[in-house]
Amino acid sequence: MILKQIASIFSAGALFLLTACNGGTDKTPEAEAEKDTASISNTAVVRELPHVKTEPVEYEDGIKTFNSIMAYDSANAGKKPIVLIIPEWWGVTDYIKDRAKQIAELGYFALIVDMYGGGKVLDNPKDAGRESTKYYKNPQLAQERFDNALSIAKTYPQADTTKIAAIGYCFGGSMALNMARLGEHLKGVVSFHGGLESNGITARKGGIVPSILVLNGDADSFVPVSAVNDFKKEMEAAHANMQFIGYPNAKHAFTNPGATAIGEKFKMDIKYDEAADKASWEEMKKFLAKIFS
């Protein structure tokens, strides 16, 4: 794999995320949904963090070029545990970039996984569903994309290559869980309102290396109770070290401050839940501190 890093400042237009974790099945209204989401203001932008350094990252696998960003606290000397962030099905958006900054503020080396290549951002559910389906149907392709990003993260002198975790949102949460199912040697994975279906790669007994934290909305219509029960049985049979936390009344995409407006715009059952957002972030913080200790 050819790895190339770019040290210029990254910028991109604001885009809110419409999220659905449905195992690759597009449940969104296709026909007359307006495609332009840029008119909705981005309330998810976090405060400026003067010590958090961000840089664009470009790398190649011999076929595609991938564009991402990395972030770390430059005031925090020494090597930092790596946290790879797998985005929602919209790609490398402003929301995920802000999450990377927040992860860096906690003292970790954050890198966003560019699953689609080219830093692609999709602005309508039909295209996002079509693109994300490739990785539900072909988990090994998702693993290749994940491993590419991990390889670039390991080249940074600030990164501690002995301590690695992955977190994901919605589609990204599904992919993070699949990385655990596929036996990635990570300390832990965290899924925020991600899909739970195995997509043909049911975990083997003793085959899951990382600890797992699942943060789920109990009112998420995209993740039915049957899927929750099946997932718990799968993890139990695999002897996985898994913690599952459900948030009462929290719907799909509950961590995204733009979810409510987007849900209304596209008539989707998604909604931001401030209490669940804050509580799940605190659980992630405790989880990462524990696995990296």
Side-chain angles (χ1 to χ4, degrees):
M1 180 176 61
I2 304 168
L3 303 177
K4 180 173 60 175
Q5 303 176 28
I6 301 176
S8 60
I9 300 299
F10 186 74
S11 63
L15 177 70
F16 258 115
L17 307 175
L18 168 65
T19 315
C21 297
N22 49 31
T25 302
D26 185 5
K27 296 181 180 179
T28 60
E30 296 179 5
E32 306 304 325
E34 183 180 350
K35 292 185 178 183
D36 182 10
T37 61
S39 61
I40 300 177
S41 60
N42 193 344
T43 56
V45 175
V46 298
R47 68 187 185 279
E48 289 298 320
L49 306 172
H51 297 299
V52 171
K53 180 179 178 61
T54 62
E55 291 181 2
V57 179
E58 182 178 295
Y59 54 102
E60 299 176 0
D61 65 357
I63 301 173
K64 276 183 174 282
T65 297
F66 300 86
N67 298 92
S68 180
I69 70 162
M70 50 73 73
Y72 66 93
D73 186 348
S74 60
N76 180 2
K79 292 184 177 295
K80 304 158 184 64
I82 298 170
V83 178
L84 296 185
I85 305 169
I86 309 177
E88 296 170 289
W89 70 344
W90 289 108
V92 184
T93 60
D94 286 349
Y95 171 73
I96 291 299
K97 295 170 197 171
D98 287 330
R99 287 300 189 187
K101 294 175 187 176
Q102 290 176 304
I103 290 291
E105 187 184 23
L106 297 177
Y108 304 119
F109 182 91
L111 181 73
I112 297 171
V113 180
D114 177 12
M115 292 294 289
Y116 301 157
K120 184 184 294 183
V121 173
L122 301 169
D123 64 357
N124 68 89
K126 185 175 181 180
D127 287 346
R130 182 185 297 113
E131 188 69 30
S132 61
T133 295
K134 298 175 185 178
Y135 305 92
Y136 286 113
K137 290 184 175 180
N138 188 349
Q140 287 71 29
L141 175 61
Q143 186 176 31
E144 289 176 12
R145 299 292 165 85
F146 180 87
D147 288 343
N148 288 345
L150 179 55
S151 293
I152 189 69
K154 288 180 176 180
T155 67
Y156 281 87
Q158 298 87 0
D160 184 346
T161 60
T162 68
K163 297 179 178 181
I164 305 167
I167 71 172
Y169 292 84
C170 301
F171 161 73
S174 299
M175 296 300 103
L177 293 175
N178 279 353
M179 294 308 104
R181 289 180 171 111
L182 288 165
E184 285 281 347
H185 285 267
L186 310 170
K187 293 291 187 181
V189 300
V190 182
S191 170
F192 290 90
H193 42 80
L196 304 176
E197 294 86 353
S198 63
N199 303 120
I201 49 167
T202 304
R204 295 180 295 103
K205 182 179 179 180
I208 292 184
V209 176
S211 298
I212 295 173
L213 174 62
V214 176
L215 304 163
N216 185 67
D218 286 344
D220 189 338
S221 61
F222 293 98
V223 184
V225 173
S226 59
V228 173
N229 292 338
D230 288 346
F231 175 77
K232 289 180 177 179
K233 290 177 183 177
E234 179 194 358
M235 292 297 108
E236 183 178 0
H239 293 180
N241 180 14
M242 190 275 292
Q243 181 182 11
F244 192 104
I245 300 175
Y247 296 97
N249 304 316
K251 292 183 176 292
H252 196 65
F254 64 78
T255 64
N256 188 339
T260 302
I262 290 295
E264 292 172 354
K265 184 181 183 71
F266 288 94
K267 302 188 187 319
M268 292 189 67
D269 191 23
I270 61 176
K271 186 178 182 180
Y272 177 63
D273 188 311
E274 183 177 9
D277 179 21
K278 291 180 177 179
S280 61
W281 187 257
E282 290 302 314
E283 290 293 343
M284 181 209 68
K285 286 166 61 176
K286 290 189 294 184
F287 177 80
L288 293 180
K290 181 178 181 179
I291 65 171
F292 290 142
S293 63

PDB file of all heavy atoms in Angstrom, residues 142-177:
ATOM      1  N   ALA A 142     -14.776  -3.946   3.545  1.00  0.00           N
ATOM      2  CA  ALA A 142     -14.769  -2.982   4.649  1.00  0.00           C
ATOM      3  C   ALA A 142     -13.516  -3.147   5.499  1.00  0.00           C
ATOM      4  O   ALA A 142     -12.902  -2.159   5.919  1.00  0.00           O
ATOM      5  CB  ALA A 142     -16.021  -3.160   5.506  1.00  0.00           C
ATOM      6  N   GLN A 143     -13.116  -4.392   5.728  1.00  0.00           N
ATOM      7  CA  GLN A 143     -11.909  -4.636   6.518  1.00  0.00           C
ATOM      8  C   GLN A 143     -10.666  -4.106   5.805  1.00  0.00           C
ATOM      9  O   GLN A 143      -9.764  -3.551   6.445  1.00  0.00           O
ATOM     10  CB  GLN A 143     -11.767  -6.128   6.798  1.00  0.00           C
ATOM     11  CG  GLN A 143     -10.616  -6.449   7.753  1.00  0.00           C
ATOM     12  CD  GLN A 143     -10.551  -7.926   8.101  1.00  0.00           C
ATOM     13  OE1 GLN A 143     -10.922  -8.780   7.286  1.00  0.00           O
ATOM     14  NE2 GLN A 143     -10.090  -8.229   9.291  1.00  0.00           N
ATOM     15  N   GLU A 144     -10.619  -4.255   4.483  1.00  0.00           N
ATOM     16  CA  GLU A 144      -9.489  -3.709   3.729  1.00  0.00           C
ATOM     17  C   GLU A 144      -9.401  -2.198   3.905  1.00  0.00           C
ATOM     18  O   GLU A 144      -8.305  -1.648   4.099  1.00  0.00           O
ATOM     19  CB  GLU A 144      -9.625  -4.046   2.246  1.00  0.00           C
ATOM     20  CG  GLU A 144      -9.415  -5.502   1.911  1.00  0.00           C
ATOM     21  CD  GLU A 144      -9.663  -5.790   0.442  1.00  0.00           C
ATOM     22  OE1 GLU A 144      -9.778  -4.810  -0.346  1.00  0.00           O
ATOM     23  OE2 GLU A 144      -9.758  -6.979   0.072  1.00  0.00           O
ATOM     24  N   ARG A 145     -10.546  -1.525   3.833  1.00  0.00           N
ATOM     25  CA  ARG A 145     -10.559  -0.075   3.987  1.00  0.00           C
ATOM     26  C   ARG A 145     -10.144   0.324   5.402  1.00  0.00           C
ATOM     27  O   ARG A 145      -9.441   1.317   5.616  1.00  0.00           O
ATOM     28  CB  ARG A 145     -11.953   0.473   3.648  1.00  0.00           C
ATOM     29  CG  ARG A 145     -12.389   0.174   2.205  1.00  0.00           C
ATOM     30  CD  ARG A 145     -11.542   0.964   1.204  1.00  0.00           C
ATOM     31  NE  ARG A 145     -11.666   0.465  -0.153  1.00  0.00           N
ATOM     32  CZ  ARG A 145     -12.618   0.813  -1.011  1.00  0.00           C
ATOM     33  NH1 ARG A 145     -13.575   1.648  -0.637  1.00  0.00           N
ATOM     34  NH2 ARG A 145     -12.612   0.342  -2.241  1.00  0.00           N
ATOM     35  N   PHE A 146     -10.613  -0.446   6.371  1.00  0.00           N
ATOM     36  CA  PHE A 146     -10.247  -0.196   7.763  1.00  0.00           C
ATOM     37  C   PHE A 146      -8.742  -0.387   7.959  1.00  0.00           C
ATOM     38  O   PHE A 146      -8.063   0.451   8.575  1.00  0.00           O
ATOM     39  CB  PHE A 146     -11.027  -1.140   8.678  1.00  0.00           C
ATOM     40  CG  PHE A 146     -10.738  -0.973  10.143  1.00  0.00           C
ATOM     41  CD1 PHE A 146     -11.434  -0.036  10.898  1.00  0.00           C
ATOM     42  CD2 PHE A 146      -9.771  -1.737  10.778  1.00  0.00           C
ATOM     43  CE1 PHE A 146     -11.170   0.135  12.250  1.00  0.00           C
ATOM     44  CE2 PHE A 146      -9.496  -1.581  12.126  1.00  0.00           C
ATOM     45  CZ  PHE A 146     -10.203  -0.643  12.873  1.00  0.00           C
ATOM     46  N   ASP A 147      -8.208  -1.479   7.443  1.00  0.00           N
ATOM     47  CA  ASP A 147      -6.777  -1.767   7.601  1.00  0.00           C
ATOM     48  C   ASP A 147      -5.908  -0.718   6.912  1.00  0.00           C
ATOM     49  O   ASP A 147      -4.810  -0.395   7.384  1.00  0.00           O
ATOM     50  CB  ASP A 147      -6.457  -3.154   7.054  1.00  0.00           C
ATOM     51  CG  ASP A 147      -6.980  -4.271   7.944  1.00  0.00           C
ATOM     52  OD1 ASP A 147      -7.306  -3.997   9.121  1.00  0.00           O
ATOM     53  OD2 ASP A 147      -7.067  -5.416   7.460  1.00  0.00           O
ATOM     54  N   ASN A 148      -6.373  -0.189   5.770  1.00  0.00           N
ATOM     55  CA  ASN A 148      -5.636   0.879   5.102  1.00  0.00           C
ATOM     56  C   ASN A 148      -5.486   2.091   6.018  1.00  0.00           C
ATOM     57  O   ASN A 148      -4.399   2.678   6.140  1.00  0.00           O
ATOM     58  CB  ASN A 148      -6.356   1.305   3.819  1.00  0.00           C
ATOM     59  CG  ASN A 148      -6.258   0.282   2.709  1.00  0.00           C
ATOM     60  OD1 ASN A 148      -5.443  -0.639   2.766  1.00  0.00           O
ATOM     61  ND2 ASN A 148      -7.106   0.420   1.707  1.00  0.00           N
ATOM     62  N   ALA A 149      -6.598   2.482   6.644  1.00  0.00           N
ATOM     63  CA  ALA A 149      -6.558   3.639   7.542  1.00  0.00           C
ATOM     64  C   ALA A 149      -5.685   3.356   8.759  1.00  0.00           C
ATOM     65  O   ALA A 149      -4.936   4.229   9.221  1.00  0.00           O
ATOM     66  CB  ALA A 149      -7.979   4.007   7.973  1.00  0.00           C
ATOM     67  N   LEU A 150      -5.790   2.146   9.283  1.00  0.00           N
ATOM     68  CA  LEU A 150      -4.974   1.788  10.444  1.00  0.00           C
ATOM     69  C   LEU A 150      -3.493   1.841  10.102  1.00  0.00           C
ATOM     70  O   LEU A 150      -2.665   2.303  10.907  1.00  0.00           O
ATOM     71  CB  LEU A 150      -5.359   0.390  10.930  1.00  0.00           C
ATOM     72  CG  LEU A 150      -4.580  -0.152  12.129  1.00  0.00           C
ATOM     73  CD1 LEU A 150      -4.654   0.792  13.309  1.00  0.00           C
ATOM     74  CD2 LEU A 150      -5.108  -1.528  12.514  1.00  0.00           C
ATOM     75  N   SER A 151      -3.139   1.396   8.909  1.00  0.00           N
ATOM     76  CA  SER A 151      -1.731   1.428   8.489  1.00  0.00           C
ATOM     77  C   SER A 151      -1.189   2.847   8.461  1.00  0.00           C
ATOM     78  O   SER A 151      -0.053   3.102   8.879  1.00  0.00           O
ATOM     79  CB  SER A 151      -1.575   0.778   7.110  1.00  0.00           C
ATOM     80  OG  SER A 151      -1.856  -0.595   7.160  1.00  0.00           O
ATOM     81  N   ILE A 152      -1.983   3.791   7.961  1.00  0.00           N
ATOM     82  CA  ILE A 152      -1.519   5.176   7.921  1.00  0.00           C
ATOM     83  C   ILE A 152      -1.415   5.758   9.324  1.00  0.00           C
ATOM     84  O   ILE A 152      -0.488   6.495   9.646  1.00  0.00           O
ATOM     85  CB  ILE A 152      -2.417   6.053   7.020  1.00  0.00           C
ATOM     86  CG1 ILE A 152      -1.795   7.444   6.795  1.00  0.00           C
ATOM     87  CG2 ILE A 152      -3.797   6.224   7.561  1.00  0.00           C
ATOM     88  CD1 ILE A 152      -0.563   7.452   5.970  1.00  0.00           C
ATOM     89  N   ALA A 153      -2.359   5.397  10.214  1.00  0.00           N
ATOM     90  CA  ALA A 153      -2.305   5.889  11.589  1.00  0.00           C
ATOM     91  C   ALA A 153      -1.019   5.446  12.278  1.00  0.00           C
ATOM     92  O   ALA A 153      -0.408   6.210  13.049  1.00  0.00           O
ATOM     93  CB  ALA A 153      -3.517   5.403  12.374  1.00  0.00           C
ATOM     94  N   LYS A 154      -0.604   4.235  11.994  1.00  0.00           N
ATOM     95  CA  LYS A 154       0.585   3.685  12.639  1.00  0.00           C
ATOM     96  C   LYS A 154       1.875   4.373  12.206  1.00  0.00           C
ATOM     97  O   LYS A 154       2.905   4.205  12.857  1.00  0.00           O
ATOM     98  CB  LYS A 154       0.678   2.188  12.360  1.00  0.00           C
ATOM     99  CG  LYS A 154      -0.343   1.356  13.108  1.00  0.00           C
ATOM    100  CD  LYS A 154      -0.184  -0.126  12.774  1.00  0.00           C
ATOM    101  CE  LYS A 154      -1.118  -0.997  13.581  1.00  0.00           C
ATOM    102  NZ  LYS A 154      -0.958  -2.441  13.259  1.00  0.00           N
ATOM    103  N   THR A 155       1.844   5.132  11.115  1.00  0.00           N
ATOM    104  CA  THR A 155       3.057   5.797  10.650  1.00  0.00           C
ATOM    105  C   THR A 155       3.348   7.091  11.404  1.00  0.00           C
ATOM    106  O   THR A 155       4.438   7.639  11.280  1.00  0.00           O
ATOM    107  CB  THR A 155       2.960   6.119   9.142  1.00  0.00           C
ATOM    108  OG1 THR A 155       1.941   7.110   8.928  1.00  0.00           O
ATOM    109  CG2 THR A 155       2.654   4.886   8.331  1.00  0.00           C
ATOM    110  N   TYR A 156       2.398   7.581  12.158  1.00  0.00           N
ATOM    111  CA  TYR A 156       2.593   8.847  12.870  1.00  0.00           C
ATOM    112  C   TYR A 156       3.381   8.626  14.159  1.00  0.00           C
ATOM    113  O   TYR A 156       3.067   7.725  14.937  1.00  0.00           O
ATOM    114  CB  TYR A 156       1.246   9.490  13.208  1.00  0.00           C
ATOM    115  CG  TYR A 156       0.611  10.201  12.054  1.00  0.00           C
ATOM    116  CD1 TYR A 156      -0.197   9.521  11.149  1.00  0.00           C
ATOM    117  CD2 TYR A 156       0.816  11.568  11.849  1.00  0.00           C
ATOM    118  CE1 TYR A 156      -0.791  10.168  10.077  1.00  0.00           C
ATOM    119  CE2 TYR A 156       0.232  12.222  10.773  1.00  0.00           C
ATOM    120  CZ  TYR A 156      -0.573  11.523   9.899  1.00  0.00           C
ATOM    121  OH  TYR A 156      -1.143  12.169   8.845  1.00  0.00           O
ATOM    122  N   PRO A 157       4.373   9.468  14.417  1.00  0.00           N
ATOM    123  CA  PRO A 157       5.177   9.304  15.641  1.00  0.00           C
ATOM    124  C   PRO A 157       4.365   9.557  16.910  1.00  0.00           C
ATOM    125  O   PRO A 157       4.752   9.103  17.985  1.00  0.00           O
ATOM    126  CB  PRO A 157       6.294  10.345  15.476  1.00  0.00           C
ATOM    127  CG  PRO A 157       5.737  11.356  14.521  1.00  0.00           C
ATOM    128  CD  PRO A 157       4.859  10.589  13.582  1.00  0.00           C
ATOM    129  N   GLN A 158       3.258  10.260  16.795  1.00  0.00           N
ATOM    130  CA  GLN A 158       2.422  10.544  17.970  1.00  0.00           C
ATOM    131  C   GLN A 158       1.553   9.354  18.370  1.00  0.00           C
ATOM    132  O   GLN A 158       0.954   9.353  19.447  1.00  0.00           O
ATOM    133  CB  GLN A 158       1.509  11.747  17.697  1.00  0.00           C
ATOM    134  CG  GLN A 158       2.230  13.048  17.425  1.00  0.00           C
ATOM    135  CD  GLN A 158       2.597  13.208  15.962  1.00  0.00           C
ATOM    136  OE1 GLN A 158       2.308  12.334  15.133  1.00  0.00           O
ATOM    137  NE2 GLN A 158       3.241  14.325  15.625  1.00  0.00           N
ATOM    138  N   ALA A 159       1.456   8.351  17.508  1.00  0.00           N
ATOM    139  CA  ALA A 159       0.521   7.247  17.722  1.00  0.00           C
ATOM    140  C   ALA A 159       1.174   6.073  18.442  1.00  0.00           C
ATOM    141  O   ALA A 159       2.283   5.650  18.114  1.00  0.00           O
ATOM    142  CB  ALA A 159      -0.035   6.772  16.383  1.00  0.00           C
ATOM    143  N   ASP A 160       0.477   5.561  19.450  1.00  0.00           N
ATOM    144  CA  ASP A 160       0.908   4.365  20.169  1.00  0.00           C
ATOM    145  C   ASP A 160       0.295   3.155  19.464  1.00  0.00           C
ATOM    146  O   ASP A 160      -0.898   2.882  19.595  1.00  0.00           O
ATOM    147  CB  ASP A 160       0.436   4.440  21.625  1.00  0.00           C
ATOM    148  CG  ASP A 160       0.928   3.262  22.459  1.00  0.00           C
ATOM    149  OD1 ASP A 160       1.394   2.260  21.873  1.00  0.00           O
ATOM    150  OD2 ASP A 160       0.820   3.339  23.704  1.00  0.00           O
ATOM    151  N   THR A 161       1.106   2.424  18.735  1.00  0.00           N
ATOM    152  CA  THR A 161       0.604   1.324  17.909  1.00  0.00           C
ATOM    153  C   THR A 161       0.252   0.079  18.716  1.00  0.00           C
ATOM    154  O   THR A 161      -0.239  -0.906  18.156  1.00  0.00           O
ATOM    155  CB  THR A 161       1.638   0.958  16.837  1.00  0.00           C
ATOM    156  OG1 THR A 161       2.860   0.558  17.472  1.00  0.00           O
ATOM    157  CG2 THR A 161       1.906   2.139  15.912  1.00  0.00           C
ATOM    158  N   THR A 162       0.480   0.101  20.025  1.00  0.00           N
ATOM    159  CA  THR A 162       0.120  -1.035  20.873  1.00  0.00           C
ATOM    160  C   THR A 162      -1.273  -0.870  21.479  1.00  0.00           C
ATOM    161  O   THR A 162      -1.790  -1.796  22.107  1.00  0.00           O
ATOM    162  CB  THR A 162       1.132  -1.225  22.012  1.00  0.00           C
ATOM    163  OG1 THR A 162       1.046  -0.126  22.929  1.00  0.00           O
ATOM    164  CG2 THR A 162       2.548  -1.302  21.470  1.00  0.00           C
ATOM    165  N   LYS A 163      -1.873   0.310  21.308  1.00  0.00           N
ATOM    166  CA  LYS A 163      -3.184   0.594  21.885  1.00  0.00           C
ATOM    167  C   LYS A 163      -4.089   1.168  20.795  1.00  0.00           C
ATOM    168  O   LYS A 163      -3.941   2.327  20.412  1.00  0.00           O
ATOM    169  CB  LYS A 163      -3.054   1.578  23.046  1.00  0.00           C
ATOM    170  CG  LYS A 163      -2.235   1.039  24.226  1.00  0.00           C
ATOM    171  CD  LYS A 163      -2.125   2.062  25.343  1.00  0.00           C
ATOM    172  CE  LYS A 163      -1.346   1.492  26.522  1.00  0.00           C
ATOM    173  NZ  LYS A 163      -1.244   2.480  27.628  1.00  0.00           N
ATOM    174  N   ILE A 164      -5.010   0.346  20.308  1.00  0.00           N
ATOM    175  CA  ILE A 164      -5.852   0.736  19.172  1.00  0.00           C
ATOM    176  C   ILE A 164      -7.306   0.379  19.458  1.00  0.00           C
ATOM    177  O   ILE A 164      -7.604  -0.720  19.948  1.00  0.00           O
ATOM    178  CB  ILE A 164      -5.401   0.030  17.885  1.00  0.00           C
ATOM    179  CG1 ILE A 164      -3.913   0.285  17.612  1.00  0.00           C
ATOM    180  CG2 ILE A 164      -6.238   0.489  16.691  1.00  0.00           C
ATOM    181  CD1 ILE A 164      -3.316  -0.618  16.550  1.00  0.00           C
ATOM    182  N   ALA A 165      -8.194   1.305  19.138  1.00  0.00           N
ATOM    183  CA  ALA A 165      -9.628   1.058  19.261  1.00  0.00           C
ATOM    184  C   ALA A 165     -10.334   1.640  18.045  1.00  0.00           C
ATOM    185  O   ALA A 165      -9.762   2.441  17.304  1.00  0.00           O
ATOM    186  CB  ALA A 165     -10.189   1.664  20.541  1.00  0.00           C
ATOM    187  N   ALA A 166     -11.576   1.243  17.850  1.00  0.00           N
ATOM    188  CA  ALA A 166     -12.392   1.793  16.771  1.00  0.00           C
ATOM    189  C   ALA A 166     -13.760   2.167  17.329  1.00  0.00           C
ATOM    190  O   ALA A 166     -14.319   1.436  18.150  1.00  0.00           O
ATOM    191  CB  ALA A 166     -12.551   0.780  15.639  1.00  0.00           C
ATOM    192  N   ILE A 167     -14.266   3.322  16.877  1.00  0.00           N
ATOM    193  CA  ILE A 167     -15.634   3.693  17.204  1.00  0.00           C
ATOM    194  C   ILE A 167     -16.366   3.991  15.899  1.00  0.00           C
ATOM    195  O   ILE A 167     -15.736   4.339  14.893  1.00  0.00           O
ATOM    196  CB  ILE A 167     -15.715   4.904  18.160  1.00  0.00           C
ATOM    197  CG1 ILE A 167     -15.310   6.200  17.447  1.00  0.00           C
ATOM    198  CG2 ILE A 167     -14.844   4.676  19.384  1.00  0.00           C
ATOM    199  CD1 ILE A 167     -15.557   7.451  18.286  1.00  0.00           C
ATOM    200  N   GLY A 168     -17.683   3.826  15.905  1.00  0.00           N
ATOM    201  CA  GLY A 168     -18.441   4.086  14.687  1.00  0.00           C
ATOM    202  C   GLY A 168     -19.840   4.556  14.996  1.00  0.00           C
ATOM    203  O   GLY A 168     -20.400   4.231  16.054  1.00  0.00           O
ATOM    204  N   TYR A 169     -20.384   5.325  14.063  1.00  0.00           N
ATOM    205  CA  TYR A 169     -21.722   5.883  14.202  1.00  0.00           C
ATOM    206  C   TYR A 169     -22.626   5.305  13.121  1.00  0.00           C
ATOM    207  O   TYR A 169     -22.326   5.395  11.931  1.00  0.00           O
ATOM    208  CB  TYR A 169     -21.674   7.406  14.086  1.00  0.00           C
ATOM    209  CG  TYR A 169     -20.974   8.065  15.258  1.00  0.00           C
ATOM    210  CD1 TYR A 169     -19.593   8.193  15.282  1.00  0.00           C
ATOM    211  CD2 TYR A 169     -21.701   8.526  16.353  1.00  0.00           C
ATOM    212  CE1 TYR A 169     -18.948   8.775  16.369  1.00  0.00           C
ATOM    213  CE2 TYR A 169     -21.072   9.115  17.440  1.00  0.00           C
ATOM    214  CZ  TYR A 169     -19.690   9.237  17.442  1.00  0.00           C
ATOM    215  OH  TYR A 169     -19.051   9.801  18.527  1.00  0.00           O
ATOM    216  N   CYS A 170     -23.750   4.710  13.528  1.00  0.00           N
ATOM    217  CA  CYS A 170     -24.741   4.164  12.606  1.00  0.00           C
ATOM    218  C   CYS A 170     -24.099   3.134  11.670  1.00  0.00           C
ATOM    219  O   CYS A 170     -23.646   2.109  12.140  1.00  0.00           O
ATOM    220  CB  CYS A 170     -25.433   5.291  11.861  1.00  0.00           C
ATOM    221  SG  CYS A 170     -26.251   6.447  12.977  1.00  0.00           S
ATOM    222  N   PHE A 171     -24.023   3.408  10.382  1.00  0.00           N
ATOM    223  CA  PHE A 171     -23.313   2.520   9.456  1.00  0.00           C
ATOM    224  C   PHE A 171     -21.920   2.222   9.996  1.00  0.00           C
ATOM    225  O   PHE A 171     -21.449   1.074   9.973  1.00  0.00           O
ATOM    226  CB  PHE A 171     -23.238   3.175   8.080  1.00  0.00           C
ATOM    227  CG  PHE A 171     -22.186   2.613   7.166  1.00  0.00           C
ATOM    228  CD1 PHE A 171     -22.340   1.361   6.588  1.00  0.00           C
ATOM    229  CD2 PHE A 171     -21.042   3.346   6.875  1.00  0.00           C
ATOM    230  CE1 PHE A 171     -21.361   0.848   5.733  1.00  0.00           C
ATOM    231  CE2 PHE A 171     -20.062   2.845   6.036  1.00  0.00           C
ATOM    232  CZ  PHE A 171     -20.220   1.582   5.457  1.00  0.00           C
ATOM    233  N   GLY A 172     -21.251   3.246  10.493  1.00  0.00           N
ATOM    234  CA  GLY A 172     -19.917   3.062  11.057  1.00  0.00           C
ATOM    235  C   GLY A 172     -19.908   2.164  12.277  1.00  0.00           C
ATOM    236  O   GLY A 172     -18.951   1.419  12.505  1.00  0.00           O
ATOM    237  N   GLY A 173     -20.981   2.230  13.075  1.00  0.00           N
ATOM    238  CA  GLY A 173     -21.083   1.328  14.217  1.00  0.00           C
ATOM    239  C   GLY A 173     -21.201  -0.116  13.769  1.00  0.00           C
ATOM    240  O   GLY A 173     -20.593  -1.023  14.353  1.00  0.00           O
ATOM    241  N   SER A 174     -21.976  -0.353  12.721  1.00  0.00           N
ATOM    242  CA  SER A 174     -22.091  -1.695  12.146  1.00  0.00           C
ATOM    243  C   SER A 174     -20.725  -2.201  11.690  1.00  0.00           C
ATOM    244  O   SER A 174     -20.359  -3.357  11.927  1.00  0.00           O
ATOM    245  CB  SER A 174     -23.056  -1.677  10.950  1.00  0.00           C
ATOM    246  OG  SER A 174     -24.336  -1.282  11.328  1.00  0.00           O
ATOM    247  N   MET A 175     -19.991  -1.317  11.010  1.00  0.00           N
ATOM    248  CA  MET A 175     -18.682  -1.708  10.503  1.00  0.00           C
ATOM    249  C   MET A 175     -17.696  -1.963  11.645  1.00  0.00           C
ATOM    250  O   MET A 175     -16.875  -2.892  11.570  1.00  0.00           O
ATOM    251  CB  MET A 175     -18.139  -0.625   9.566  1.00  0.00           C
ATOM    252  CG  MET A 175     -18.960  -0.419   8.294  1.00  0.00           C
ATOM    253  SD  MET A 175     -19.103  -1.885   7.239  1.00  0.00           S
ATOM    254  CE  MET A 175     -20.798  -2.418   7.645  1.00  0.00           C
ATOM    255  N   ALA A 176     -17.757  -1.179  12.706  1.00  0.00           N
ATOM    256  CA  ALA A 176     -16.875  -1.397  13.856  1.00  0.00           C
ATOM    257  C   ALA A 176     -17.145  -2.769  14.478  1.00  0.00           C
ATOM    258  O   ALA A 176     -16.210  -3.506  14.822  1.00  0.00           O
ATOM    259  CB  ALA A 176     -17.072  -0.286  14.884  1.00  0.00           C
ATOM    260  N   LEU A 177     -18.420  -3.125  14.616  1.00  0.00           N
ATOM    261  CA  LEU A 177     -18.763  -4.441  15.154  1.00  0.00           C
ATOM    262  C   LEU A 177     -18.285  -5.551  14.225  1.00  0.00           C
ATOM    263  O   LEU A 177     -17.829  -6.606  14.683  1.00  0.00           O
ATOM    264  CB  LEU A 177     -20.265  -4.540  15.382  1.00  0.00           C
ATOM    265  CG  LEU A 177     -20.832  -3.640  16.480  1.00  0.00           C
ATOM    266  CD1 LEU A 177     -22.349  -3.746  16.529  1.00  0.00           C
ATOM    267  CD2 LEU A 177     -20.234  -3.981  17.839  1.00  0.00           C
TER     268      LEU A 177
END
